[in-house]
Amino acid sequence: MVSPHGIQFAAHLISSFYGELCSKVCECLLRRGTLTLAQIIQSTELSRENVINCLRVLIHQNCVQAFAVQREGAFGEAPRIVTQYMALFNNIIHKLRAPKFMQIVSEELGKDGLMQHGRLSLKRIIDRNEQTAGSSDIHVVRESFIRLLNARFIERCPAPEPFLAPPAEDEAPAKRRGAKSAKIAEPKTTEQRALAAAAPMESMRFLMEMDDLPEKNDDESSDSVTHRKKRKQDVLKSDEDVLDANDKKEVLWRVNFEELVRRLRTKACISYVKTKINDEAGIVLSAILDLSGRPESRQKAEKTAYLSINAIYDEVIKKEGGLGMDFERIRVSLNQLGCETLSTGLDESYSIGTHLSSFSYFNAVVESVVLRRYGREAYRVFRLLSKAGRFLETDKISDSTFVEKKDAIKILYKLWKDDYLHMEKVVSSGARQSLFLVWRVNKQTLWEQVLDEMYHAALNLRLRIAHEQDRGKEVLQLPREKLVGELEKKYKLLGKVRVILESSLMNLDEAIMLFHDF
Amino acid sequence: MSHSLVSLSSHKRKRPEKYPSGPVDAERTILDLIKSKKHLGICVREIKQETKLADDDIKKSLKSLSTKCLIKEVVNIHNKRNKHYMAVEFEPSNEISGGDWYVDGELNKEFIDELQKLCLRYMRTKKVVTLERVHDLLKKVVTFDISSQQVGEILNLIVLNNFIIEVKSNGLGDYHSIPVGTICYRVASGAGVLTGPRTGAFASIPCGACPRISMCTPDGVIAPSNCVHYEKWLNIEF
């Protein structure tokens, strides 16, 4: 489930980009979960035509995914196929990152404006290029397209409406095999199954076929799928209006958010390590991540493969600032990065956790908030509990953090009230019963709490930007020649304010993206 | 100790009883009670509960015992407002005094800060240090017998303040002279880690520091459009 302010923020973004009606439909799906068309109409109280149009826009913009499920008929009726819609929260938030994504693409491949809108077929990309750039050289466009594909900045769109068969009966015995296998094979939610069913096969995801050939088995997936022609007979007529625009036999392509986010995260990770440790550690980390390459499957690799010290050295000296590093300095950096060592005979290899939690990013973000909001003593208290990872009693906290006992209890209470800490009461047994309070950081609930606050802050920044624009609209609308004296000062001031707010939003968005990694 | 002093005097010569009956019985009772509490001492409320004596008798007895230097008043950090008494031959336990770092019920902040600064100054001249080395340094500098545990507590405080980090030696590089697995300390590098562009991105905007964020709504009494912290933040930049 998306957090309350996450929903508000996503709805606000949709409103900014696609209007209030789309925002209403999107918010309805985010709050209430997967719904049918009829349920959306009832919930939003919008007309059917409006809802259909909104869904078409949202699907095209990769913010909503449709899928078909079988519903049992009532009173002896035959089962029906029903189309449901789910909001894709992460893709909505990615809308804010479009400028960063375009920057990455242009840094890697030069100026390229091919993929800026939702989802397009290659033919439409060529048509758009003709309209915008005035060029009708198909080969140039195809070459650009292939470069984007090879760099994995674009991918095949998921199937517009995969069918989810009812869970197979042979899945039930797996639960009886034992607690261990039941733990490993956690049942997927309907939404997870829908996304898995919609996703193209990994081998097809970045494969371009001849674009004049009809696509075969485009929507094959791990779930069983009935043929599209047969399904069309079962789909409700109203959903045909939503999906018809996308239900064509041509391959559609879209931005591959996964790759772009991976690159942004890698860049941010290296930069964070440079700040937290030093430049050399950043260089070594960059070398390791380059050597490790991209995880082959959708599953994020928890740590890199073991790399030999020689391979790491060869990569480090190619980096800017890395030429002067020797084996000893690399070993120091590897130790500082918390790499795992594997030494067998003459071989010396290292592996590193790719997850940002390896670099205690989560802790650093939360600790910085605690420091600013509650002060240095609270900061020490929080860090102690965070490192301990278990319940600690009030006096123990006070002693270890060198905080006066009376102040410690006030700080602990404040942090607990704001959901940063978990508290329990313990009664000691014996002749004389005493009541003790014990405290602990619960990382899961804390992560949810802080992430929600970050979405709240991002929404506030956007609202403030809009407010400043509105406040200064009279000045902003004036022609250049009239901006003299006081008006010129005010104009410049408005510009500075906008830069501060927008750069803060960009930094916060990057922090959200990294924080969300947990 | 005090018991052995009384028996000696009764063997030597007859002296007037120290605790004749009447009001002096109350003193005896209270003194015995206070002594029984040893390092923990006892407060007036508990004396009243356990002896069932009248307030006036308790007050007079305590005054008399203090004058005779048989008991002393100590500060109980859990209850500084109420008087707490202890027999003179005992020293307050850590539970009552607060521990090595407390003086008269208050944390000796100035002293603790000085120790921290001393440790940090030393550590900035080294790449990595062990607790043993810091202990050796402080033993030469402080005027009291500082224990290894106390040094460990100070180093832990500096870690919690994020000025140094705790690491384990792997025997390589900077750690070559330190046995593998030994806990060491190094100065935390990277100025502005707490408020850098990534870790501090949330903390450095008004919402990150705001204690009322839970009450803030887009169109509410507290909203981004009317927030005083935003006003100050945007004005301060200029």
Side-chain angles (χ1 to χ4, degrees):
Chain A
M1 276 304 281
V2 183
S3 69
H5 287 101
I7 293 173
Q8 275 191 40
F9 184 50
H12 169 84
L13 285 176
I14 295 293
S15 171
S16 306
F17 287 105
Y18 313 117
E20 277 303 318
L21 295 180
C22 284
S23 170
K24 208 166 177 179
V25 168
C26 195
E27 192 175 347
C28 170
L29 288 171
L30 284 168
R31 286 199 189 281
R32 298 195 50 202
T34 303
L35 298 172
T36 61
L37 179 61
Q39 287 169 328
I40 297 170
I41 294 166
Q42 188 185 34
S43 189
T44 58
E45 294 178 350
L46 294 172
S47 71
R48 193 161 82 180
E49 191 189 346
N50 278 335
V51 171
I52 287 170
N53 286 336
C54 289
L55 283 172
R56 286 176 71 178
V57 168
L58 291 169
I59 289 170
H60 184 82
Q61 295 294 343
N62 305 298
C63 298
V64 163
Q65 172 71 47
F67 59 96
V69 291
Q70 187 170 290
R71 280 246 177 97
E72 292 306 316
F75 304 111
E77 282 180 14
R80 308 184 301 146
I81 305 296
V82 170
T83 302
Q84 293 189 309
Y85 302 89
M86 57 183 275
L88 302 173
F89 175 75
N90 287 341
N91 286 1
I92 297 168
I93 302 300
H94 287 324
K95 297 289 169 196
L96 193 63
R97 294 158 190 159
K100 279 188 200 158
F101 292 158
M102 296 316 298
Q103 193 187 357
I104 291 175
V105 172
S106 66
E107 271 172 16
E108 291 253 344
L109 302 175
K111 272 265 178 210
D112 208 308
L114 273 180
M115 295 301 294
Q116 290 191 40
H117 307 282
R119 49 182 67 185
L120 296 168
S121 65
L122 182 54
K123 185 178 179 307
R124 287 199 194 165
I125 291 168
I126 293 167
D127 291 344
R128 274 182 190 264
N129 191 69
E130 199 174 46
Q131 286 167 20
T132 53
S135 161
S136 58
D137 190 342
I138 296 173
H139 296 293
V140 169
V141 176
R142 270 184 85 99
E143 216 175 271
S144 269
F145 182 86
I146 289 166
R147 281 206 323 265
L148 284 171
L149 202 55
N150 288 341
R152 299 197 172 188
F153 289 139
I154 55 176
E155 63 175 358
R156 274 181 198 247
C157 283
E161 195 206 353
F163 173 67
L164 296 191
E169 286 200 4
D170 59 4
E171 278 178 24
K175 291 179 190 173
R176 290 200 287 270
R177 263 180 234 135
K180 201 175 173 184
S181 44
K183 271 185 197 165
I184 295 165
E186 227 178 81
K188 285 184 179 174
T189 61
T190 306
E191 287 78 13
Q192 285 170 328
R193 287 175 61 221
L195 288 173
M201 284 196 306
E202 205 56 34
S203 54
M204 297 295 292
R205 203 173 153 202
F206 305 104
L207 186 66
M208 190 182 79
E209 296 177 343
M210 296 294 289
D211 57 359
D212 56 351
L213 286 174
E215 286 302 313
K216 291 179 186 178
N217 302 325
D218 188 21
D219 53 351
E220 259 183 38
S221 64
S222 53
D223 279 353
S224 61
V225 175
T226 54
H227 198 273
R228 203 180 280 186
K229 211 173 171 181
K230 181 176 185 294
R231 254 194 305 111
K232 247 191 148 158
Q233 293 163 3
D234 301 327
V235 163
L236 290 176
K237 192 177 185 331
S238 53
D239 288 296
E240 276 186 348
D241 296 334
V242 178
L243 299 160
D244 199 33
N246 293 318
D247 196 26
K248 290 185 180 170
K249 293 190 190 305
E250 58 177 354
V251 180
L252 295 177
W253 303 88
R254 69 174 190 181
V255 169
N256 178 11
F257 296 118
E258 220 175 85
E259 176 64 20
L260 289 162
V261 167
R262 185 190 74 83
R263 288 185 193 226
L264 278 177
R265 278 201 188 117
T266 302
K267 212 167 144 179
C269 198
I270 291 165
S271 180
Y272 171 67
V273 161
K274 281 186 176 173
T275 316
K276 183 176 162 65
I277 307 173
N278 54 37
D279 282 355
E280 289 189 351
I283 293 168
V284 170
L285 177 63
S286 175
I288 290 174
L289 293 177
D290 282 351
L291 280 172
S292 303
R294 183 184 294 116
E296 284 313 313
S297 69
R298 282 206 160 89
Q299 293 291 325
K300 274 190 290 192
E302 288 217 354
K303 57 178 188 176
T304 65
Y306 279 94
L307 303 164
S308 74
I309 186 78
N310 290 310
I312 295 171
Y313 173 78
D314 289 340
E315 194 63 32
V316 161
I317 57 173
K318 289 185 210 165
K319 301 267 173 201
E320 195 186 323
L323 192 60
M325 287 184 73
D326 58 22
F327 277 77
E328 273 311 303
R329 282 160 70 187
I330 290 173
R331 285 191 184 101
V332 166
S333 291
L334 289 165
N335 180 253
Q336 287 170 328
L337 289 167
C339 290
E340 280 176 27
T341 322
L342 187 67
S343 282
T344 51
L346 292 170
D347 292 334
E348 186 187 335
S349 310
Y350 294 86
S351 166
I352 195 167
T354 51
H355 208 271
L356 261 181
S357 61
S358 310
F359 310 109
S360 52
Y361 180 78
F362 169 83
N363 288 340
V365 167
V366 182
E367 285 167 13
S368 67
V369 171
V370 170
L371 178 64
R372 278 290 310 271
R373 205 181 277 179
Y374 305 102
R376 187 152 274 278
E377 288 187 334
Y379 173 70
R380 290 203 298 271
V381 165
F382 182 82
R383 271 173 62 78
L384 175 74
L385 287 167
S386 192
K387 282 152 88 64
R390 57 187 171 87
F391 280 110
L392 290 180
E393 192 264 322
T394 313
D395 278 351
K396 169 73 182 165
I397 294 168
S398 159
D399 290 340
S400 302
T401 57
F402 287 75
V403 172
E404 295 261 12
K405 295 190 195 289
K406 60 175 169 44
D407 295 333
I409 191 76
K410 283 182 197 167
I411 287 167
L412 288 163
Y413 180 72
K414 237 189 295 183
L415 289 170
W416 168 75
K417 205 164 70 71
D418 290 346
D419 289 324
Y420 276 61
L421 293 181
H422 185 62
M423 182 264 284
E424 279 186 13
K425 294 178 185 173
V426 175
V427 178
S428 67
S429 54
R432 201 176 161 191
Q433 285 195 334
S434 304
L435 178 70
F436 293 98
L437 296 179
V438 290
W439 314 82
R440 154 176 111 103
V441 168
N442 181 329
K443 286 231 161 118
Q444 178 60 33
T445 46
L446 179 63
W447 172 74
E448 287 166 6
Q449 166 76 7
V450 175
L451 186 58
D452 189 60
E453 286 185 6
M454 289 167 92
Y455 284 131
H456 191 167
L459 176 63
N460 283 353
L461 280 168
R462 293 251 331 170
L463 292 173
R464 187 72 194 205
I465 290 169
H467 171 74
E468 294 294 336
Q469 285 284 100
D470 193 52
R471 208 153 73 154
K473 65 180 174 211
E474 282 169 8
V475 173
L476 291 168
Q477 282 165 1
L478 288 173
R480 268 280 143 110
E481 51 275 13
K482 289 201 173 167
L483 292 171
V484 288
E486 280 303 312
L487 285 173
E488 190 191 8
K489 269 189 197 169
K490 197 167 181 191
Y491 181 81
K492 284 185 176 169
L493 203 68
L494 286 167
K496 281 182 185 174
V497 163
R498 189 173 180 132
V499 164
I500 291 165
L501 290 169
E502 289 192 348
S503 61
S504 297
L505 180 60
M506 284 296 115
N507 287 336
L508 178 62
D509 175 57
E510 196 169 286
I512 288 172
M513 189 179 59
L514 297 174
F515 204 78
H516 191 263
D517 200 21
F518 298 94
Chain B
M1 206 158 88
S2 50
H3 278 290
S4 60
L5 269 171
V6 168
S7 56
L8 215 66
S9 58
S10 69
H11 277 268
K12 281 189 176 172
R13 56 177 169 270
K14 222 171 178 174
R15 283 185 184 181
E17 274 188 64
K18 263 196 165 174
Y19 305 101
S21 58
V24 188
D25 278 342
E27 263 188 49
R28 178 91 215 191
T29 308
I30 289 170
L31 178 64
D32 285 346
L33 176 62
I34 291 174
K35 282 186 179 184
S36 74
K37 297 297 177 184
K38 296 184 185 174
H39 303 280
L40 291 176
I42 188 167
C43 65
V44 176
R45 185 173 53 86
E46 281 175 351
I47 293 173
K48 191 179 175 183
Q49 269 174 358
E50 297 206 29
T51 62
K52 311 275 189 257
L53 290 166
D55 285 347
D56 277 343
D57 286 340
I58 293 173
K59 204 171 163 183
K60 280 179 194 166
S61 301
L62 287 172
K63 193 174 173 182
S64 170
L65 289 168
S66 293
T67 310
K68 291 171 190 170
C69 299
L70 291 169
I71 64 170
K72 60 184 175 184
E73 203 177 311
V74 295
V75 177
N76 179 357
I77 56 151
H78 295 286
N79 200 353
K80 287 183 201 174
R81 272 178 278 169
N82 292 338
K83 291 187 180 182
H84 204 85
Y85 293 93
M86 190 171 288
V88 290
E89 58 267 34
F90 296 106
E91 286 304 312
S93 70
N94 284 349
E95 199 182 318
I96 302 298
S97 70
D100 299 325
W101 307 108
Y102 280 78
V103 171
D104 296 330
E106 301 274 337
L107 205 56
N108 194 348
K109 286 186 180 169
E110 213 177 286
F111 177 62
I112 292 162
D113 278 345
E114 277 308 313
L115 281 181
Q116 279 194 86
K117 283 179 191 166
L118 203 62
C119 291
L120 268 173
R121 259 202 307 270
Y122 171 66
M123 290 182 67
R124 281 185 184 127
T125 64
K126 309 280 172 196
K127 285 189 179 164
V128 63
V129 298
T130 57
L131 182 143
E132 202 184 324
R133 286 193 195 152
V134 177
H135 188 204
D136 288 340
L137 164 83
L138 291 182
K139 272 194 290 196
K140 297 172 195 164
V141 173
V142 299
T143 55
F144 66 98
D145 190 18
I146 190 166
S147 70
S148 179
Q149 188 190 330
Q150 287 171 312
V151 173
E153 287 171 5
I154 292 291
L155 287 174
N156 194 46
L157 171 64
I158 309 174
V159 169
L160 289 177
N161 274 324
N162 209 15
F163 296 136
I164 61 175
I165 54 173
E166 190 182 284
V167 290
K168 270 197 183 152
S169 167
N170 65 355
L172 302 169
D174 292 338
Y175 306 92
H176 71 275
S177 62
I178 303 169
V180 174
T182 309
I183 291 178
C184 326
Y185 303 88
R186 46 191 317 141
V187 173
S189 54
V193 168
L194 292 174
T195 52
R198 279 170 194 90
T199 53
F202 181 35
S204 59
I205 59 173
C207 306
C210 180
R212 287 179 176 54
I213 189 169
S214 58
M215 293 185 255
C216 170
T217 55
D219 303 309
V221 173
I222 302 174
S225 54
N226 61 25
C227 175
V228 293
H229 300 294
Y230 262 95
E231 290 289 337
K232 278 185 199 166
W233 178 51
L234 292 171
N235 285 331
I236 279 166
E237 295 297 318
F238 311 111

